[in-house]
Amino acid sequence: MPPRSAQQKPASDHPLAFLTGFLQRPKEVASIIPSSRFLMRRVVQGADVAHAKLVVELGPGTGGSTRAMLRAMRPDATLLAIEIHPGFVRLLRRTIDDPRLIVHEGSATDLAAILRQHGLGAPDVVFSGIPFSQIPEAVGLGILHAVQDALAPGGRFVAYQARDRVEKLGRRVFGRPRVQLELLNVPPMRVYRWDRAPAR
Ligand SMILES: C[S@@+](CC[C@H](N)C(=O)[O-])C[C@H]1O[C@@H](n2cnc3c(N)ncnc32)[C@H](O)[C@@H]1O
C-alpha cells in the first residue's frame, strides 16, 4: 500500500493556484498551467527511481510532479522538494501528506546548504522543472553546478523544458544529454537526462 500521497488531490485541483503563482512571479513560474500527466510519466520513467534512496525536486510548483514522483518512489525513500515561491510552498505543505516528503522554501542554487540543513547526503536523482530560459544565465549555471556537485556517483539529473537553454547550459556542465520529446503537454516539452559516472 503506497503512502497516502498517492491518493491525494491531483495537480488539476489547483489550476488557479498555478495561474496566481504565475501572475505573481512570471519569470520563475513561466507557465500558466502545471505539467501534464503524460509529461510527468516520462520524467518519472526517465529518472529511474526504483532503487533511489534520495530524490530532489527543483521547482515542484503546485505539486503534480511531486505526487507523480512519490507514487513511483520506494516506501523508504526521501523526496526533498525545493521551491522558491512561498505560496506554492504553503500549498504543497497543506495538500501533500506523505512522510517521505520534505518541502523546503528556498532556491535551487543553495542545494548543497539545503541538503546539509536537512542532514541529507548525495541524491541519486535530481529532477527539475525550473524554467532555465527565463532566469538569468548565471543563476541557471549556478543551479546546474550545484546539481553536479551534489549528485551521487551513478546518479542522474532530469530536466524538462520547452526551450533548449537548459541543454546549452547543461552541455557546459555535464556534457551531452539524452533527449526525449513529449508532445502531450502544453507546450510540448523536451526531457533531458544526464548521468553521473558510477564510482570506480
Ligand atoms: C514551470 S513551473 C513547474 C512546476 C511543476 N514542477 C510542474 O511541472 O507543473 C517552475 C517552478 O520552478 C520554481 N522555481 C523557479 N526558480 C526556482 C529556483 N531558483 N529554486 C527553486 N524553485 C524555483 C517556480 O516557482 C515554479 O514553481
Side-chain angles (χ1 to χ4, degrees):
M1 178 87 174
R4 270 198 287 165
S5 66
Q7 283 101 51
Q8 294 195 14
K9 293 182 179 180
S12 55
D13 284 7
H14 310 292
L16 284 180
F18 206 94
L19 178 60
T20 306
F22 169 76
L23 293 173
Q24 289 164 337
R25 298 167 87 149
K27 287 222 176 278
E28 282 166 0
V29 178
S31 172
I32 58 168
I33 51 169
S35 299
S36 73
R37 65 180 194 280
F38 305 101
L39 174 60
M40 278 311 117
R41 193 178 304 151
R42 198 178 283 280
V43 169
V44 166
Q45 283 169 359
D48 193 10
V49 288
H51 303 290
K53 292 294 298 277
L54 176 59
V55 179
V56 173
E57 176 171 20
L58 309 178
T62 50
S65 43
T66 316
R67 289 182 186 81
M69 189 56 78
L70 284 166
R71 278 195 291 270
M73 282 169 41
R74 293 160 46 137
D76 61 343
T78 298
L79 174 56
L80 170 67
I82 302 173
E83 172 54 59
I84 205 166
H85 189 302
F88 288 162
V89 169
R90 280 195 299 276
L91 182 72
L92 291 163
R93 288 186 177 145
R94 211 174 58 232
T95 56
I96 307 183
D97 178 16
D98 189 310
R100 297 171 299 168
L101 176 65
I102 300 168
V103 178
H104 182 96
E105 181 178 340
S107 172
T109 47
D110 300 324
L111 178 57
I114 295 168
L115 286 165
R116 263 198 312 279
Q117 187 181 325
H118 294 280
L120 297 169
D124 308 293
V125 173
V126 178
F127 74 109
S128 165
I130 288 178
F132 284 83
S133 58
Q134 302 292 320
I135 59 178
E137 180 173 313
V139 175
L141 273 175
I143 292 171
L144 296 176
H145 279 296
V147 172
Q148 159 94 324
D149 293 346
L151 265 183
R156 50 231 161 259
F157 174 52
V158 175
Y160 49 101
Q161 295 283 270
R163 305 209 184 137
D164 65 356
R165 168 81 80 89
V166 72
E167 176 178 2
K168 288 187 175 138
L169 298 181
R171 276 175 184 264
R172 283 156 63 181
V173 177
F174 307 105
R176 220 162 109 186
R178 282 191 252 167
V179 190
Q180 293 187 2
L181 180 65
E182 178 54 67
L183 295 172
L184 296 178
N185 191 73
V186 182
M189 287 270 173
R190 295 189 185 92
V191 179
Y192 299 98
R193 172 174 164 161
W194 285 273
D195 287 65
R196 191 170 165 199
R200 285 208 238 153

